[in-house]
Amino acid sequence: MNDILVSAGQERLDAVTNSAWCKMWQASKNGAVKERSRWKYDQVCRDWLTYLGRKADKPLEIITKGDAVGFRDRLAIEGLAARTVNQTVKLLRGIYQDSVEQGHLGRNPFIGVNPLREDKEDVKRQPFTAGEVKTLIDAAEGDWKGLIVLAATTGLRLMDASRLQWRNVDCDGGIIRLKTAKTGAALMLPVHPAFAEWLTEQPRGIAAAPIFPTLAHKAGTGKSGLSMSFKRLMERAKVAAGVARQADKEGRGRTVSKKSFHSLRHFAATQLACANVHPEIARAITGHADADTHAGYITADIAALRMAVGNIRLSA
């Protein structure tokens, strides 16, 4: 009966819409994947359904390979790196393949969508100077001030830092414990005096309460994401981002800045190197070493880590 209806241009009796399927697929991942992955899935589904417009509330069968290719090309035009675009298409291919395997869809519209060419990028990122970090801290307000201090003194990545909870911080012992979202590495970091001072001015939460409540719920990317918010903060502080790579005249490719929030991670690593901190100790702080190596160092000698972090200066 469904085959007859579809051939006649009608909806299937048990038709599942694109938006409904994406929601069901996302719900199936709750508790099954890391939080960072779930954020990524949510963002991809949101962008895809926005692109579909009215088709989002139409049955799965209405989506064609042309829609899939069009979405791929739209992402490229918007400036996303080829690798990011290809990862997005791969994820959507998996989402629709699950609907095929469960009998909701006859064919996967993302099958046969060719990936974009991924040219090797040679983008030179730069750390902030001590003067620029101080300028950013002075220009920042509320949670952003604390977040910048934290990242500059530990090298934590944006999402790890912004999602920090009170249970991760031993205020009395002056130690931060967390697992990184990117690698799952377990870190134990001394609290820098500047961050400790900021913490004393905040109302202390309990357990899973976020240390940065106004930032913790926000995505990292997107127009309203943390990365763009930090970029606007840089503009207000008159800290130049610079251009590491420029999009072409037709708008293809993506303009990449030399400096961004990640430059605070570079800043911390550079400060430790300039202070002649042993490379293994420095990597234990930034988490660049493999999990087993850095776990051995931070467990064996927290005093050495504390002394190393004390070498980071937030003023020129």
Side-chain angles (χ1 to χ4, degrees):
M1 179 66 72
N2 278 327
D3 289 342
I4 294 173
L5 289 172
V6 171
S7 65
Q10 303 298 313
E11 295 184 6
R12 295 166 55 97
L13 294 176
D14 58 346
V16 176
T17 66
N18 290 279
S19 59
W21 175 251
C22 284
K23 290 177 181 177
M24 287 190 287
W25 187 89
Q26 289 171 272
S28 72
K29 300 302 177 182
N30 289 337
V33 297
K34 293 182 178 179
E35 190 172 12
R36 182 184 180 90
S37 296
R38 186 172 58 78
W39 291 331
K40 180 180 179 180
Y41 298 163
D42 292 349
Q43 183 67 53
V44 168
C45 288
R46 185 162 53 248
D47 291 346
W48 167 240
L49 295 175
T50 298
Y51 170 78
L52 288 179
R54 292 183 177 181
K55 281 189 175 183
D57 294 320
K58 295 294 184 179
L60 292 168
E61 292 284 358
I62 201 172
I63 303 303
T64 66
K65 181 178 178 181
D67 293 315
V69 172
F71 182 59
R72 179 202 65 186
D73 294 345
R74 170 67 67 83
L75 295 178
I77 292 173
E78 290 178 349
L80 271 68
R83 181 181 180 186
T84 302
V85 174
N86 292 338
Q87 289 175 340
T88 299
V89 170
K90 181 179 179 180
L91 176 58
L92 285 167
R93 184 182 299 122
I95 291 175
Y96 276 82
Q97 187 58 35
D98 281 354
S99 72
V100 171
E101 294 175 358
Q102 293 188 31
H104 298 297
L105 184 63
R107 80 286 181 271
N108 188 337
F110 282 87
I111 293 295
V113 175
N114 295 324
L116 299 179
R117 178 179 175 181
E118 297 183 20
D119 294 325
K120 185 176 181 180
E121 298 180 339
D122 183 19
V123 177
K124 183 66 175 178
R125 302 298 181 95
Q126 294 181 356
F128 289 119
T129 65
E132 288 174 332
V133 172
K134 185 177 186 305
T135 298
L136 288 168
I137 293 173
D138 291 343
E141 298 178 350
D143 287 349
W144 269 113
K145 187 182 291 290
L147 187 64
I148 294 171
V149 171
L150 174 64
T153 57
T154 61
L156 284 175
R157 297 179 178 88
L158 176 58
M159 301 313 291
D160 287 331
S162 63
R163 265 46 175 189
L164 202 68
Q165 299 174 347
W166 282 100
R167 62 184 171 188
N168 297 126
V169 182
D170 177 356
C171 294
D172 296 329
I175 296 174
I176 298 171
R177 296 181 177 87
L178 76 154
K179 283 190 176 182
T180 63
K182 183 175 183 179
T183 65
L187 298 182
M188 182 166 70
L189 307 170
V191 175
H192 190 280
F195 186 58
E197 181 180 354
W198 183 84
L199 281 176
T200 60
E201 300 172 355
Q202 312 309 311
R204 185 176 297 194
I206 58 173
I211 288 181
F212 308 107
T214 64
L215 306 176
H217 66 285
K218 294 186 177 180
T221 58
K223 293 181 180 180
S224 59
L226 295 174
S227 291
M228 285 302 297
S229 295
F230 183 76
K231 184 176 182 180
R232 289 190 286 270
L233 173 58
M234 288 178 61
E235 293 172 352
R236 292 197 302 272
K238 294 182 169 40
V239 174
V243 177
R245 188 190 66 209
Q246 182 70 53
D248 63 24
K249 295 180 179 179
E250 284 73 33
R252 293 188 296 266
R254 180 179 58 158
T255 298
V256 178
S257 301
K258 289 183 178 179
K259 295 182 179 181
S260 63
F261 188 91
H262 204 69
S263 294
L264 292 168
R265 182 168 171 80
H266 288 275
F267 167 77
T270 301
Q271 286 278 301
L272 294 171
C274 290
N276 294 318
V277 173
H278 192 283
E280 293 294 343
I281 297 296
R283 284 198 289 270
I285 293 170
T286 61
H288 283 135
D290 64 87
D292 292 338
T293 300
H294 79 253
Y297 276 94
I298 61 179
T299 300
D301 197 0
I302 187 65
L305 298 182
R306 195 183 304 279
M307 183 179 296
V309 167
N311 284 300
I312 296 179
R313 298 288 180 260
L314 297 181
S315 59

